[in-house]
Amino acid sequence: MPGATLDHVVVDAKDRMDEAVRIYQSLGFQLTPRGYHTLGSINHLAIFGTNYLELLGFGEGSAARPELAGFPFGLNGLVFKTDDAEATFRHAQAAGVPVLPANAFSRPVELDGQTQDVRFRTTRVPSEASGIGRVYFCEHQTPELVWRPEWQAHPNGAQEIARVVVATHDASRQAALFANLFGKDAVIKRPDGTTELTMTGGAVVLAPVAETIGRLGAAAPDPAGREDFMAALAIRVVSAPAVARLLHGVSGLVVEPHRVTVPAGSAMNTTLLFEDAHAD
């Protein structure tokens, strides 16, 4: 199986989608028009170079998906790319990883006055197996309807999700899962005590819960009953100082020379780290 490549992350907005849209637009993200999944959920996307951030929820005229019901507001979805969801399902089974059969769904999108269906197939690791939320693989059958230049320009200069920070009490659990999926060489134990899944263009960092919360300080998310959880996103931007100027009115903003931290309380319970190329 190919190495890990991030496809997207999911921030659960639940029944507060309108609020989530206002917040993320105020943080300088351009969002796609509202999408309506055949599964019953609704979404908006912030499309970057090769990956994206998804706001996922439900509202009037839509239904809550059962697998989403137990999660609080915030970052709960980590999604890897696959060219073939069925093949990934078989690989995971052979590797002894609990995984659910591939599932096909779609959502309509209007482009150039025509309605077309954006189509996907996914295979998912049950949340009780990952211990950190929803971990799954997404096969884009119509990627040209998702990664479009008119949706990839953001006022905050966002270019890519570079890192996902996971707070965990036992990194060996997630490390074993990732090693079984992507190979042992993809998982590295760092001298600072963190464990890293190397991805094309970025990483998933598994860090102790207490240290993660301590490092993020007042910017840390509320665990909201989660023992282990996805805590923060590092997003590569053109210029951290430009982000600082754009977001100067955000309460609790932390500005460093090459990094701007938006506290989780100002981003739907998700800490955002805007970093330029010179960040540590």
Side-chain angles (χ1 to χ4, degrees):
M1 181 172 172
T5 301
L6 183 67
D7 187 79
H8 67 280
V9 297
V10 183
V11 173
D12 287 327
K14 299 172 79 71
D15 60 347
R16 291 162 53 188
M17 182 61 88
D18 290 344
E19 177 186 353
V21 168
R22 289 194 298 271
I23 288 172
Y24 274 77
Q25 286 178 333
S26 73
L27 293 174
F29 293 102
Q30 178 187 189
L31 299 176
T32 59
R34 182 158 298 181
Y36 294 84
H37 292 130
T38 52
L39 296 176
S41 47
I42 59 176
N43 75 349
H44 292 268
L45 311 179
I47 305 292
F48 308 126
T50 63
N51 53 44
Y52 61 89
L53 183 154
E54 177 180 21
L55 299 176
L56 183 66
F58 53 88
E60 185 177 352
S62 65
R65 286 158 50 183
E67 74 272 21
L68 309 180
F71 293 97
F73 294 98
L75 180 62
N76 294 303
L78 174 64
V79 189
F80 299 102
K81 291 184 185 294
T82 179
D83 293 330
D84 187 331
E86 289 285 355
T88 297
F89 169 71
R90 293 192 298 270
H91 167 82
Q93 279 195 314
V97 176
V99 65
L100 300 177
N103 181 36
F105 62 103
S106 65
R107 60 176 172 84
V109 61
E110 185 171 328
L111 295 168
D112 301 323
Q114 293 186 332
T115 300
Q116 303 181 63
D117 284 333
V118 185
R119 294 180 287 109
F120 317 87
R121 289 197 305 172
T122 62
T123 183
R124 180 165 52 91
V125 176
S127 57
E128 59 269 21
S130 77
I132 56 173
R134 301 189 302 278
V135 175
Y136 58 104
F137 292 82
C138 182
E139 172 193 346
H140 286 268
Q141 297 179 302
T142 53
E144 72 280 1
L145 302 181
V146 177
W147 279 275
R148 297 183 63 84
E150 64 266 33
W151 293 333
Q152 291 175 296
H154 301 276
N156 60 22
Q159 298 177 317
E160 209 78 82
I161 297 169
R163 191 168 69 258
V164 181
V165 180
V166 176
T168 176
H169 287 90
D170 182 12
S172 64
R173 178 181 180 183
Q174 290 82 36
L177 171 68
F178 293 146
N180 286 334
L181 287 170
F182 303 112
K184 292 182 180 180
D185 291 344
V187 181
I188 302 170
K189 187 67 178 289
R190 296 296 186 190
D192 64 0
T194 64
T195 301
E196 183 175 300
L197 168 66
T198 57
M199 302 186 298
T200 300
V204 175
V205 177
L206 305 171
V209 172
E211 291 183 17
T212 302
I213 293 176
R215 189 181 312 114
L216 295 175
D222 177 3
R226 300 169 295 179
E227 290 190 8
D228 303 333
F229 53 95
M230 303 175 200
L233 293 178
I235 299 175
R236 188 180 305 113
V237 296
V238 174
S239 166
V243 173
R245 291 191 294 271
L246 179 69
L247 305 184
H248 69 276
V250 173
S251 177
L253 196 72
V254 179
V255 178
E256 301 171 85
H258 300 293
R259 180 184 294 114
V260 175
T261 301
V262 175
S266 297
M268 294 300 291
N269 201 32
T270 301
T271 305
L272 299 178
L273 311 173
F274 291 107
E275 299 178 344
D276 63 27
H278 303 287
D280 295 335

